[in-house]
Amino acid sequence: MAVFAEEVNLAGYTTLRLGGPARRFVEATTEDELVSVVRAADRDGEPVLVLGGGSNVVVADDGFPGTVVHVGTRGTERVPDEPGRVLVRVQAGEEWDPFVARCVADGLAGVECLAGIPGRVGATPIQNVGAYGQDVSETITEVRAYDRTTGRVVTLDADACRFSYRNSVFKGGDRYLVLEVTYALRESDESQPIAYAELARALGVELGARVPLKEARDAVLELRRAKGMVLDPSDPDTRSAGSFFTNPILDSAQLAELERRVAERLGPDAAFPRYPERPGPDGSPRVKTSAAWLIDRAGFAKGHALGPVRISGKHTLALTNPDGASTADLLALARQVRDGVREAFGIELVNEPVLVGVSL
């Protein structure tokens, strides 16, 4: 039976340790409870916030004036598929990194480079979670969800999820409540081809090589720890929402403007990171650049502070709450960084975490 409470401080449920009280807080541990609580709140016209691991959310200091549903569902089912492939159906409330660890231990390849990412399984399709050359869109075959518009449980295949860079049909709206995610994983003791240059260097292999699954996971964890991206209560740099800004994707005109500004600011021989990206909807070419590089070159170094909040001492993409800050403090730093990058390079950085009751 779902557990109800009132005026629960949400700071204890987010990795930033920020956020005010929820008017009503519900812990749902089964799919039926999850759907029932959300359905009842919708019927009563009650605002709803669905919260998993709290690793990709920024909650207002005033809290949330409605029902917060904490997703605590558990369960994993393996279903043999075509030869060499296994479908793994996972409840939304399962913790993500332990799931990755189990896949690696069981010889299932496809998510090994997503090790160390905090949060729960239900968040992965929403954000199209990705790191070190892998995205969950590469392995997700379907998502079961409660459609709050029709009041029915539906199944969306990969095409219906409309995955793109850090985006999906689930993001930016509240129509769908993710209940279960199915991943298609390859039976193998070796990783998928290594597709990220930094990871390939750490492993001492060429891009496209395969390595033992455990080696891939261990290398990713080591890289993430060096950037403060693995949760550690003793390390204040991990008190963050991960990467606060997404890497900008530029069309030809934006790329030309960035080239002009970089040359003007840093010299005609200065280069900036650029990576091929999928063409735009009209087929036009696009490239991705590095938000971390832009932040650093705009004058915001690791450890840059504004009041009680700061940029991580390990990675310029993470904004951290070392101790005693407020959400208002964090957003002031985020605005300073965003506006500074815009002024220096003409690029508008976009926040990656979901903002609840606040805006940039």
Side-chain angles (χ1 to χ4, degrees):
M1 183 175 179
V3 178
F4 295 78
E6 294 183 354
E7 299 300 318
V8 173
N9 196 315
L10 296 176
Y13 291 88
T14 72
T15 54
L16 272 165
R17 295 295 181 257
L18 295 175
R23 191 190 67 78
R24 189 166 179 255
F25 186 92
V26 185
E27 182 79 29
T29 59
T30 70
E31 184 176 295
D32 287 344
E33 290 175 357
L34 194 53
V35 171
S36 176
V37 169
V38 172
R39 180 181 284 136
D42 288 345
R43 182 191 63 229
D44 296 339
E46 173 89 350
V48 174
L49 171 63
V50 178
L51 189 63
S55 60
N56 197 50
V57 64
V58 179
V59 180
D61 292 317
D62 292 339
F64 188 73
T67 296
V68 172
V69 185
H70 195 222
V71 181
T73 54
R74 295 288 187 269
T76 302
E77 178 188 10
R78 289 180 53 162
V79 180
D81 191 39
E82 60 189 51
R85 194 173 89 154
V86 172
L87 300 180
V88 186
R89 298 188 178 119
V90 192
Q91 290 291 304
E94 286 282 349
E95 296 289 345
W96 174 253
D97 187 51
F99 167 65
V100 173
R102 288 198 302 274
C103 291
V104 169
D106 291 346
L108 298 177
V111 293
E112 59 280 356
C113 295
L114 303 178
I117 296 175
R120 299 189 177 180
V121 164
T124 62
I126 298 172
Q127 189 75 6
N128 186 15
V129 163
Y132 295 102
Q134 282 185 347
D135 294 320
V136 292
S137 60
E138 298 167 6
T139 52
I140 289 177
T141 60
E142 63 182 33
V143 176
R144 287 182 64 250
Y146 172 60
D147 185 339
R148 296 169 64 185
T149 300
T150 65
R152 297 179 178 178
V153 173
V154 297
T155 299
L156 290 81
D157 64 16
D159 288 340
C161 292
R162 302 212 306 265
F163 290 121
S164 60
Y165 173 63
R166 301 298 172 268
N167 205 357
S168 71
V169 71
F170 310 105
K171 189 174 179 180
D174 57 7
R175 176 174 179 175
Y176 295 107
L177 169 65
V178 175
L179 303 174
E180 181 186 77
V181 185
T182 299
Y183 305 87
L185 303 176
R186 186 172 58 88
E187 293 183 298
S188 175
D189 291 328
E190 290 193 324
S191 69
Q192 294 291 83
I194 301 300
Y196 197 81
E198 182 185 22
L199 179 57
R201 288 194 297 271
L203 288 163
V205 301
E206 298 292 324
L207 284 171
R210 298 180 189 268
V211 301
L213 285 176
K214 186 176 185 303
E215 287 186 18
R217 179 174 184 269
D218 289 348
V220 167
L221 288 173
E222 188 62 29
L223 288 170
R224 291 185 64 88
R225 285 193 190 98
K227 299 174 183 178
M229 294 293 187
V230 176
L231 292 180
D232 180 351
S234 68
D235 183 357
D237 273 338
T238 70
R239 202 168 299 143
S240 76
S243 298
F244 198 89
F245 298 104
T246 59
N247 290 320
I249 295 176
L250 312 175
D251 60 25
S252 297
Q254 291 170 318
L255 178 61
E257 175 64 10
L258 180 57
E259 289 172 338
R260 184 188 71 79
R261 294 214 185 199
V262 167
E264 184 179 83
R265 185 179 180 90
L266 303 176
D269 297 327
F272 58 89
R274 61 180 84 192
Y275 312 99
E277 184 58 32
R278 294 174 183 172
D282 61 354
S284 59
R286 300 189 302 173
V287 299
K288 183 191 299 180
T289 192
S290 165
W293 187 94
L294 294 170
I295 291 167
D296 183 69
R297 299 317 189 276
F300 302 102
K302 297 172 186 175
H304 170 84
L306 182 64
V309 293
R310 71 184 186 196
I311 293 175
S312 168
K314 302 179 181 70
H315 198 269
T316 54
L317 267 185
L319 308 185
T320 67
N321 167 29
D323 189 36
S326 67
T327 298
D329 294 325
L330 183 86
L331 293 176
L333 176 59
R335 293 185 189 105
Q336 184 188 59
V337 171
R338 179 200 61 188
D339 296 348
V341 169
R342 185 202 305 121
E343 182 178 349
F345 298 112
I347 301 293
E348 185 82 14
L349 293 182
V350 176
N351 55 283
E352 186 166 331
V354 176
L355 305 182
V356 178
V358 293
S359 63
L360 282 183

